[in-house]
Amino acid sequence: MPTYTLFCPPLETSPRIARDFVASVLRELSLDTALVEDATLCTSELVTNACVHAKGDGAALWLSADPQGIRVVVYDGDENPPVIRELTPERWETGGRGLFLVDALTRGSWGHGVAVPYDGLSRPEGKAVWFDLPGTAS
């Protein structure tokens, strides 16, 4: 299964760049449009969380994709686990709904763990947050 890596500095533009990166790779692999849209939204949420909330010098994104499905892992330098916040009308308007969306789009197929090496990509500290989406060729 092909893998792809992108480094995301802690900048306001990183979530958009990560979205574009994932969308470009998945489209090039001729994956289903709905899968591409779900993957780019979930990626944006994880990279946004890493850039806004995590300590350190940004995040590393690892993508594995083929027609059977995709996995995205975002590594950051913060050991604190991600938390799905209670979804209130105020939070829906002001932010804090990212992991709620990831959970819904992946049907609960996401998680986190210590930042361990993954195909040559490693962070000695922090965590890895990942999601999986099943795929179909278009």
Side-chain angles (χ1 to χ4, degrees), residues 4 7 10 14 17 24 36-37 40 60 66 72 95 102-103 107 135 138:
Y4 309 85
F7 292 95
S14 285
I17 292 167
S24 295
V36 173
E37 291 172 357
T40 56
D66 69 15
V72 171
V102 170
D103 188 59
R107 295 188 172 134
S138 63

Short mmCIF file of all heavy atoms in Angstrom, two decimals, residues 4 7 10 14 17 24 36-37 40 60 66 72 95 102-103 107 135 138:
data_model
loop_
_atom_site.label_atom_id
_atom_site.label_comp_id
_atom_site.label_asym_id
_atom_site.label_seq_id
_atom_site.Cartn_x
_atom_site.Cartn_y
_atom_site.Cartn_z
N TYR A 4 2.36 8.22 2.11
CA TYR A 4 2.73 9.60 1.81
C TYR A 4 2.90 10.34 3.12
O TYR A 4 2.20 10.06 4.08
CB TYR A 4 1.63 10.28 0.97
CG TYR A 4 1.25 9.48 -0.24
CD1 TYR A 4 0.30 8.46 -0.14
CD2 TYR A 4 1.85 9.71 -1.47
CE1 TYR A 4 -0.04 7.69 -1.25
CE2 TYR A 4 1.52 8.95 -2.58
CZ TYR A 4 0.57 7.94 -2.47
OH TYR A 4 0.24 7.19 -3.56
N PHE A 7 4.84 17.29 6.38
CA PHE A 7 5.13 17.97 7.63
C PHE A 7 4.32 19.26 7.68
O PHE A 7 4.27 20.01 6.70
CB PHE A 7 6.63 18.24 7.77
CG PHE A 7 7.39 16.96 7.95
CD1 PHE A 7 7.95 16.32 6.86
CD2 PHE A 7 7.48 16.36 9.19
CE1 PHE A 7 8.61 15.11 7.00
CE2 PHE A 7 8.14 15.15 9.35
CZ PHE A 7 8.71 14.52 8.25
N PRO A 10 3.32 24.73 12.70
CA PRO A 10 2.21 25.29 13.45
C PRO A 10 1.77 26.65 12.89
O PRO A 10 1.93 27.69 13.52
CB PRO A 10 2.75 25.41 14.88
CG PRO A 10 4.22 25.59 14.68
CD PRO A 10 4.57 24.79 13.45
N SER A 14 -1.60 25.49 7.62
CA SER A 14 -1.31 24.06 7.59
C SER A 14 -2.55 23.17 7.39
O SER A 14 -2.47 22.22 6.60
CB SER A 14 -0.55 23.63 8.85
OG SER A 14 0.79 24.07 8.76
N ILE A 17 -3.38 23.26 3.67
CA ILE A 17 -2.36 22.56 2.89
C ILE A 17 -2.51 21.05 3.07
O ILE A 17 -2.40 20.29 2.09
CB ILE A 17 -0.96 23.05 3.29
CG1 ILE A 17 -0.79 24.52 2.83
CG2 ILE A 17 0.14 22.16 2.70
CD1 ILE A 17 0.41 25.22 3.41
N SER A 24 -5.40 15.66 -3.18
CA SER A 24 -4.62 15.41 -4.40
C SER A 24 -4.19 13.96 -4.51
O SER A 24 -4.31 13.33 -5.57
CB SER A 24 -3.39 16.31 -4.44
OG SER A 24 -3.77 17.66 -4.55
N VAL A 36 -12.97 10.94 -0.66
CA VAL A 36 -12.03 12.07 -0.69
C VAL A 36 -12.54 13.20 0.19
O VAL A 36 -11.79 13.76 1.00
CB VAL A 36 -11.79 12.55 -2.14
CG1 VAL A 36 -10.94 13.82 -2.15
CG2 VAL A 36 -11.14 11.46 -2.98
N GLU A 37 -13.81 13.53 0.07
CA GLU A 37 -14.38 14.62 0.88
C GLU A 37 -14.34 14.31 2.37
O GLU A 37 -13.96 15.16 3.18
CB GLU A 37 -15.81 14.91 0.42
CG GLU A 37 -15.86 15.53 -0.97
CD GLU A 37 -17.27 15.64 -1.52
OE1 GLU A 37 -18.24 15.19 -0.86
OE2 GLU A 37 -17.41 16.16 -2.64
N THR A 40 -10.64 14.42 3.59
CA THR A 40 -10.07 15.76 3.69
C THR A 40 -10.63 16.52 4.88
O THR A 40 -9.89 17.23 5.56
CB THR A 40 -10.27 16.57 2.39
OG1 THR A 40 -11.65 16.63 2.07
CG2 THR A 40 -9.51 15.96 1.24
N ALA A 60 3.27 16.01 11.97
CA ALA A 60 3.60 15.22 10.79
C ALA A 60 2.37 14.41 10.43
O ALA A 60 1.74 13.81 11.29
CB ALA A 60 4.78 14.31 11.08
N ASP A 66 -5.27 3.08 -0.64
CA ASP A 66 -5.49 2.26 -1.81
C ASP A 66 -7.00 2.09 -1.97
O ASP A 66 -7.75 2.61 -1.15
CB ASP A 66 -4.73 0.92 -1.74
CG ASP A 66 -5.25 -0.05 -0.70
OD1 ASP A 66 -6.38 0.13 -0.18
OD2 ASP A 66 -4.54 -1.01 -0.41
N VAL A 72 -5.12 7.82 7.93
CA VAL A 72 -4.37 9.05 8.14
C VAL A 72 -3.95 9.07 9.61
O VAL A 72 -4.78 8.82 10.50
CB VAL A 72 -5.22 10.30 7.81
CG1 VAL A 72 -4.49 11.58 8.24
CG2 VAL A 72 -5.54 10.35 6.32
N GLY A 95 -16.79 26.44 17.52
CA GLY A 95 -15.68 25.51 17.39
C GLY A 95 -15.76 24.41 18.42
O GLY A 95 -16.68 24.36 19.24
N VAL A 102 -15.11 13.87 13.13
CA VAL A 102 -14.25 12.74 12.79
C VAL A 102 -14.91 11.44 13.24
O VAL A 102 -14.97 10.47 12.48
CB VAL A 102 -12.85 12.89 13.43
CG1 VAL A 102 -12.03 11.60 13.28
CG2 VAL A 102 -12.10 14.07 12.82
N ASP A 103 -15.44 11.42 14.45
CA ASP A 103 -16.10 10.22 14.97
C ASP A 103 -17.30 9.84 14.10
O ASP A 103 -17.50 8.66 13.79
CB ASP A 103 -16.53 10.46 16.42
CG ASP A 103 -17.05 9.20 17.07
OD1 ASP A 103 -16.29 8.21 17.15
OD2 ASP A 103 -18.22 9.19 17.50
N ARG A 107 -17.35 6.62 11.55
CA ARG A 107 -18.19 5.66 12.29
C ARG A 107 -17.41 5.05 13.45
O ARG A 107 -17.43 3.84 13.68
CB ARG A 107 -18.73 4.60 11.36
CG ARG A 107 -19.68 5.19 10.35
CD ARG A 107 -20.38 4.14 9.54
NE ARG A 107 -21.40 4.80 8.74
CZ ARG A 107 -21.58 4.55 7.47
NH1 ARG A 107 -20.84 3.67 6.85
NH2 ARG A 107 -22.52 5.19 6.81
N GLY A 135 -12.70 2.19 1.57
CA GLY A 135 -12.72 2.79 0.24
C GLY A 135 -13.34 1.89 -0.81
O GLY A 135 -13.55 0.71 -0.59
N SER A 138 -13.46 4.38 -7.83
CA SER A 138 -14.54 5.07 -8.57
C SER A 138 -14.54 4.67 -10.02
O SER A 138 -13.62 4.08 -10.52
CB SER A 138 -14.40 6.57 -8.44
OG SER A 138 -13.20 7.03 -9.00
#
